[in-house]
C-alpha cells in the first residue's frame, strides 16, 4: 500500500459519478481493451477508435462508391460532397464562421505546421517567437525562418522553473516573458519600392497573396518592383499585398507567435488569451491544439481567433490516421506564399513560359494532390461521436437512430443513443477527475523507508492543466529508474504509456534544469564546430554521447494520459504495477539497448 492513503476518487471528486455513462462505452464500444487485458494510458499519443466508428466506416463504404474528386462523374461527386461536408462539420465543431475560417486537409498537425512555415512571409526584421514548451513539429518552424532572409529573428519564450511545488515549479510560462518577447515594432529600414499601375485584369488574374505566379500583382492592380537586385529573386517567387486593409494588418505584421494550448509534456494549459495579446502587439498566431482538443473545445466565435490552428484528428478519436487539418483565417491563408505547386492545387500551368496560377479556392490551393477522400469523412463521424450532445435526445417515435452500435440489429433508437460519448463536457469532467486522482496517488507513493518514489514535472494540482502527467520513478537509492526499463516492464504488464522526451525538448530541458549553452561548450571545439555547421546532418555524435555531454541522468521521463475510455481500474492497474515492480528496488541500466534518439 502507499505510504499515505489516498481517499477514493468520488471523495476527492464527487462529480466523477456524473460521468458513469462513459463506463458503459468502455464495456461496449471499447470492449476490446478489457477483452485483451490492456491498460491504455497514452491518449496524448493517440486517441482510441470505437467500434461504432469502424461500423460507420464499413457501412459507408458498402453503400457508396467514391472516386478521385477532381472530376464531375458520380463517384467523384460523391467524394467531393463527403469532403466538403467534413469541412463544414469541422468548422461547426470550432463554432467558426465559414466566411472567416477555412479548413485545409493535411496528413497531420506536422503537415499543417509545415504549410505555415514554408509559406509565411515575414517583413524585414520580423520575428518568429516560439514558446520553449513546444512540440518539435512547431520547433521546426525556426528552420524556415532562418532560410527566409530579411533579418528574421527567432526568439524563444522560456519556461519558469521557480516555485515551491515540485523540483522545477509548475513549469509554466510567465506572461510578462511573453510580452517581453513580443515587441510591438520589429522592422528595419528597407529600400522604398516603386509602385507601378497595371491593368485591372492583371490584378484579378494574380489573385490573392501567392495564388497567381506570373507577376507580383496585388488586388489593387499594382506591381511592386524591388529597388535592389538582391530583392529580385524574392519578388519573382512571392507576391505581397500592396495595401493594408483595415483590421487585417496585412503590411505591418511583426511576425509569427507559435505556442501550444496544452503542453504535450507536462499537461500545462497555456492561456488562450495570449492569442489576442499577441495580435494586439502586431503578431499572427499559430496555436497548436493537438494535445488540447481531445478533451476540450476551442470556440472561435469569441475573442480567441488565431490565424492558424493545427490538429491531428487521430489524437481525438483514434481513427482515421493520416488526416490532419490547418484551420486558418482566410485572410491569413491568402497571404501565405507556396514555394511550389502540384496536382490539384493549380488552376492552370504553362510549360513553355514558367507560369502557373493556383486554384481559385484557397483550400484546394494548399492541398497537395488528391486528398484522402476515403478517410476524411471519418473525421465527421468522430466529431459526431464526441459531440453527441449536439444531437437531440432520442424520442420514442420510430426513425433512424444515430448510427450503428456494437449490439444487435434490433436495438432501439434509445439503446443506440447510449453508444455516444455525450459531449465534450462529460469527457472533460472525467479526464479532470482521473488526472487529479492520479496526481494525488502519485504524490503519496513512497518506499518503505518513506523516500518518495516519484518526481513530477509540471503542475501537481488540477488548476490550468490537462490530462497528461509527466514524471520519473525513483528507486530505493533515490536514483532515476531508467525510462527504458519502465518501457519494457510496463509493456510486459500490458500497459501502454509513453516514455522519452515526448518530442518536446524545451520542456525536457526545463524539467532537468539543463543549461544547454554551458553543456555544449564543454565539448571540444572541433566537435562543437562540426555540430554547429552540420545542423541536422551531423552523425558523428551519438544520442548516448549527447546525453553524456548534457549531463542527463536519463533521457526523459514517463507520461501517463487519460481519455474517453479511461476509468479508475486503469489507475489502480498502473499503481499496482508500480508498487509491485519498483518499491524498495534498486535498479540499474544493465542489458538495456542504446537509445537511438528521443
Amino acid at each position: 500500500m502507499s505510504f499515505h492513503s489516498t481517499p477514493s476518487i468520488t471523495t476527492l471528486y464527487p462529480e466523477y459519478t456524473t460521468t458513469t455513462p462513459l463506463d458503459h462505452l468502455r464495456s461496449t464500444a471499447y470492449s476490446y481493451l478489457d477483452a485483451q487485458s490492456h491498460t491504455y494510458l497514452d491518449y496524448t499519443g493517440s486517441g482510441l477508435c470505437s467500434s461504432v466508428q469502424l461500423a460507420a466506416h464499413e457501412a459507408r463504404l458498402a453503400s457508396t462508391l467514391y472516386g478521385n474528386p477532381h472530376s464531375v462523374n458520380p463517384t467523384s461527386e460523391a467524394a467531393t460532397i463527403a469532403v466538403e461536408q467534413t469541412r463544414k462539420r469541422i468548422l461547426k465543431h470550432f463554432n467558426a464562421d465559414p466566411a472567416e475560417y477555412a479548413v485545409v486537409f493535411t496528413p497531420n498537425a506536422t503537415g499543417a505546421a509545415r504549410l505555415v512555415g514554408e509559406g509565411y512571409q515575414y517583413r524585414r526584421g520580423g520575428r518568429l517567437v516560439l514558446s520553449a514548451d513546444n512540440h518539435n513539429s512547431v520547433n521546426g518552424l525556426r528552420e524556415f525562418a532562418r532560410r527566409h532572409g530579411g533579418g528574421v529573428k527567432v526568439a524563444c519564450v522560456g519556461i519558469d522553473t521557480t516555485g515551491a511545488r515540485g523540483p522545477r515549479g509548475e513549469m509554466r510560462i510567465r506572461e510578462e516573458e511573453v510580452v517581453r518577447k513580443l515587441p510591438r515594432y520589429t522592422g528595419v529600414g528597407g529600400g522604398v519600392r516603386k509602385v507601378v499601375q497595371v491593368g485591372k485584369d492583371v490584378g484579378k488574374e494574380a489573385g490573392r497573396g501567392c495564388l497567381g505566379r506570373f507577376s507580383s500583382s496585388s488586388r489593387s492592380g499594382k506591381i511592386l518592383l524591388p529597388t535592389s537586385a538582391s530583392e529580385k529573386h524574392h519578388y519573382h517567387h512571392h507576391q505581397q499585398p500592396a495595401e493594408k486593409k483595415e483590421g487585417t494588418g496585412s503590411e505591418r505584421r511583426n511576425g509569427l507567435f507559435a505556442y501550444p494550448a496544452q503542453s504535450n509534456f507536462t499537461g500545462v494549459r497555456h492561456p488562450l488569451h495570449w492569442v489576442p495579446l499577441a495580435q494586439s502587439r502586431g503578431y499572427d498566431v499559430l496555436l497548436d491544439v493537438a494535445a488540447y482538443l481531445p478533451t476540450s473545445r476551442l470556440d472561435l466565435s469569441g475573442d480567441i481567433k488565431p490565424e492558424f490552428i493545427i490538429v491531428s484528428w487521430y489524437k481525438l478519436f483514434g481513427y482515421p490516421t493520416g488526416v490532419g487539418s490547418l484551420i486558418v483565417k482566410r485572410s491569413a491563408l491568402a497571404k501565405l506564399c507556396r514555394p511550389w505547386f502540384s496536382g490539384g492545387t493549380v488552376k492552370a500551368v504553362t510549360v513553355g513560359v514558367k507560369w502557373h496560377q493556383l486554384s481559385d479556392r484557397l483550400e484546394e490551393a494548399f492541398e497537395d494532390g488528391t486528398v484522402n477522400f476515403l478517410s476524411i469523412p471519418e473525421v465527421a463521424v468522430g466529431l459526431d461521436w464526441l459531440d453527441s450532445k449536439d444531437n437531440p435526445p432520442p424520442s420514442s417515435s420510430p426513425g433512424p437512430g444515430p448510427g450503428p452500435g456494437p449490439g444487435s440489429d434490433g436495438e432501439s433508437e434509445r439503446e443506440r443513443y447510449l453508444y455516444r460519448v455525450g459531449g465534450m463536457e462529460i469527457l472533460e469532467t472525467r479526464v479532470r477527475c482521473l488526472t487529479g486522482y492520479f496526481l494525488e496517488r502519485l504524490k503519496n507513493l513512497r518506499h518503505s523507508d518513506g523516500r518518495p518514489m516519484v518526481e513530477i514535472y509540471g503542475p501537481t494540482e488540477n488548476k490550468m492543466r490537462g490530462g497528461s502527467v509527466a514524471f520519473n520513478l525513483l528507486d530505493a537509492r533515490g536514483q532515476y529508474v531508467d525510462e527504458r526499463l519502465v518501457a519494457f516492464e510496463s509493456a510486459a504488464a500490458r500497459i501502454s504509456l509513453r516514455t522519452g522526451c515526448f518530442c518536446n525538448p524545451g520542456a525536457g530541458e526545463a524539467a532537468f534544469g539543463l543549461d544547454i549553452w554551458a553543456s555544449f561548450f564543454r565539448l571540444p571545439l572541433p566537435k562543437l564546430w562540426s555540430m554547429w555547421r552540420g545542423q541536422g546532418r551531423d552523425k558523428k555524435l551519438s544520442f548516448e554521447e549527447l546525453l553524456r555531454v548534457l549531463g542527463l541522468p536519463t533521457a526523459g521521463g514517463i507520461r501517463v494520459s487519460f481519455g474517453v475510455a479511461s476509468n479508475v481500474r486503469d489507475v489502480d492497474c498502473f499503481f499496482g504495477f508500480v508498487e509491485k515492480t519498483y518499491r524498495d528496488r534498486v535498479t540499474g541500466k544493465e542489458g538495456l539497448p542504446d537509445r537511438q534518439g528521443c
Side-chain angles (χ1 to χ4, degrees):
M1 295 179 62
S2 298
F3 190 77
H4 299 290
S5 61
T6 301
S8 69
I9 189 169
T10 52
T11 300
L12 291 171
Y13 299 96
E15 64 271 31
Y16 183 76
T17 57
T18 66
T19 69
T20 52
L22 294 179
D23 292 323
H24 175 71
L25 292 187
R26 171 66 178 258
S27 63
T28 53
Y30 299 97
S31 60
Y32 54 82
L33 286 170
D34 295 327
Q36 299 174 26
S37 300
H38 203 104
T39 301
Y40 188 78
L41 297 170
D42 190 25
Y43 286 88
T44 299
S46 173
L48 290 181
C49 178
S50 69
S51 58
V52 175
Q53 294 168 258
L54 295 178
H57 178 69
E58 182 180 7
R60 183 174 60 82
L61 293 185
S63 63
T64 309
L65 280 176
Y66 296 95
N68 190 311
H70 297 149
S71 185
V72 293
N73 63 62
T75 56
S76 180
E77 286 286 320
T80 298
I81 290 171
V83 169
E84 294 310 311
Q85 287 177 338
T86 304
R87 289 192 212 273
K88 293 177 182 178
R89 183 63 184 87
I90 290 170
L91 291 176
K92 178 185 176 184
H93 185 76
F94 286 92
N95 203 13
D97 182 355
E100 183 178 16
Y101 278 93
V103 175
V104 177
F105 288 112
T106 62
N108 42 41
T110 301
R114 178 174 180 169
L115 280 179
V116 178
E118 68 184 10
Y120 191 82
Q121 298 302 288
Y122 296 90
R123 62 178 295 175
R124 287 179 59 81
R127 289 166 75 88
L128 169 63
V129 182
L130 302 171
S131 63
D133 188 358
N134 257 325
H135 192 279
N136 274 336
S137 296
V138 178
N139 287 331
L141 294 176
R142 71 190 189 193
E143 300 305 303
F144 289 114
R146 285 176 53 218
R147 289 167 171 78
H148 188 275
V152 176
K153 298 176 177 63
V154 179
C156 181
V157 186
I159 298 172
D160 181 19
T161 56
T162 62
R165 291 186 178 139
R168 300 292 169 191
E170 292 200 341
M171 291 180 60
R172 299 188 185 275
I173 293 173
R174 297 169 65 90
E175 187 162 308
E176 50 265 42
E177 179 71 2
V178 173
V179 172
R180 190 174 71 84
K181 291 296 177 71
L182 296 172
R184 290 186 182 275
Y185 178 71
T186 63
V188 297
V192 177
R193 295 189 174 96
K194 181 180 178 182
V195 179
V196 180
Q197 286 290 142
V198 297
K200 292 183 180 179
D201 57 334
V202 177
K204 290 180 181 178
E205 282 296 305
R208 307 181 188 95
C210 226
L211 298 189
R213 280 290 195 82
F214 185 72
S215 61
S216 298
S217 305
S218 73
R219 295 188 200 178
S220 63
K222 299 176 181 178
I223 295 179
L224 303 181
L225 299 179
T227 57
S228 65
S230 63
E231 292 179 299
K232 288 181 180 178
H233 176 76
H234 176 78
Y235 270 82
H236 175 74
H237 286 282
H238 304 291
Q239 289 189 357
Q240 299 180 358
E243 298 179 28
K244 176 181 176 179
K245 299 278 186 180
E246 184 166 348
T248 66
S250 59
E251 277 295 305
R252 305 302 299 171
R253 306 309 284 170
N254 288 327
L256 181 65
F257 175 43
Y259 78 101
Q262 178 177 313
S263 171
N264 75 308
F265 192 114
T266 62
V268 163
R269 287 197 166 169
H270 301 295
L272 293 178
H273 71 251
W274 288 353
V275 173
L277 170 66
Q279 291 167 335
S280 71
R281 301 182 71 82
Y283 291 82
D284 294 320
V285 177
L286 184 151
L287 187 66
D288 179 2
V289 296
Y292 177 86
L293 214 57
T295 57
S296 294
R297 190 184 300 276
L298 179 65
D299 189 339
L300 298 178
S301 66
D303 296 330
I304 311 302
K305 294 188 174 185
E307 280 72 21
F308 310 101
I309 301 160
I310 62 174
V311 62
S312 287
W313 293 112
Y314 75 92
K315 298 280 189 180
L316 279 74
F317 30 72
Y319 183 82
T321 57
V323 178
S325 291
L326 173 66
I327 297 98
V328 53
K329 281 186 177 180
R330 292 184 179 276
S331 57
L333 187 59
K335 291 183 289 184
L336 294 183
C337 190
R338 299 225 63 186
W340 77 309
F341 65 88
S342 64
T345 67
V346 286
K347 180 179 181 180
V349 180
T350 61
V351 176
V353 175
K354 291 181 174 57
W355 171 88
H356 71 274
Q357 184 175 346
L358 295 180
S359 172
D360 291 336
R361 286 200 66 200
L362 284 173
E363 298 94 327
E364 293 178 354
F366 286 83
E367 291 172 344
D368 296 329
T370 301
V371 296
N372 192 341
F373 58 88
L374 289 183
S375 292
I376 284 174
E378 302 312 318
V379 174
V381 174
L383 291 175
D384 286 344
W385 170 248
L386 295 180
D387 274 349
S388 54
K389 202 176 80 166
D390 293 342
N391 300 320
S395 64
S396 57
S397 60
S408 66
D409 292 338
E411 285 178 314
S412 70
E413 182 182 358
R414 183 171 295 278
E415 288 171 330
R416 287 211 298 258
Y417 184 76
L418 293 176
Y419 295 116
R420 297 291 185 97
V421 172
M424 295 299 294
E425 293 75 13
I426 188 174
L427 175 55
E428 187 167 17
T429 298
R430 167 154 288 212
V431 169
R432 176 175 53 81
C433 294
L434 286 172
T435 303
Y437 179 57
F438 182 85
L439 282 166
E440 288 300 316
R441 292 187 65 172
L442 204 60
K443 289 184 288 186
N444 288 335
L445 271 180
R446 296 286 189 276
H447 292 287
S448 296
D449 61 2
R451 289 189 183 189
M453 289 181 65
V454 296
E455 182 175 278
I456 302 173
Y457 309 116
T460 57
E461 308 293 338
N462 252 351
K463 183 179 179 181
M464 284 293 291
R465 63 134 52 245
S468 301
V469 181
F471 57 96
N472 264 313
L473 293 173
L474 304 174
D475 72 4
R477 300 168 303 172
Q479 302 297 310
Y480 290 116
V481 178
D482 194 289
E483 86 285 350
R484 292 169 296 180
L485 184 63
V486 176
F488 292 136
E489 294 183 337
S490 62
R494 299 195 64 74
I495 298 174
S496 288
L497 46 75
R498 185 58 61 97
T499 59
C501 70
F502 323 126
C503 297
N504 189 330
E509 291 165 15
F512 291 103
L514 291 180
D515 184 336
I516 292 296
W517 282 102
S519 298
F520 271 129
F521 278 101
R522 286 197 292 266
L523 284 168
L525 190 58
K527 171 71 75 174
L528 182 64
W529 179 245
S530 173
M531 287 178 60
W532 223 253
R533 290 192 62 192
Q535 290 248 359
R537 300 185 304 274
D538 182 64
K539 297 181 180 178
K540 297 179 182 177
L541 189 70
S542 70
F543 188 70
E544 292 290 342
E545 186 179 355
L546 176 63
L547 294 180
R548 289 191 291 272
V549 167
L550 297 177
L552 276 171
T554 185
I558 304 162
R559 187 185 70 196
V560 163
S561 51
F562 300 100
V564 63
S566 299
N567 61 21
V568 175
R569 291 199 307 273
D570 294 332
V571 178
D572 292 340
C573 178
F574 171 81
F575 282 101
F577 160 73
V578 169
E579 292 173 357
K580 178 181 178 181
T581 309
Y582 300 108
R583 172 167 285 143
D584 300 331
R585 177 181 171 188
V586 174
T587 60
K589 303 178 186 296
E590 298 79 12
L592 296 175
D594 285 348
R595 303 174 181 90
Q596 300 303 310
C598 181

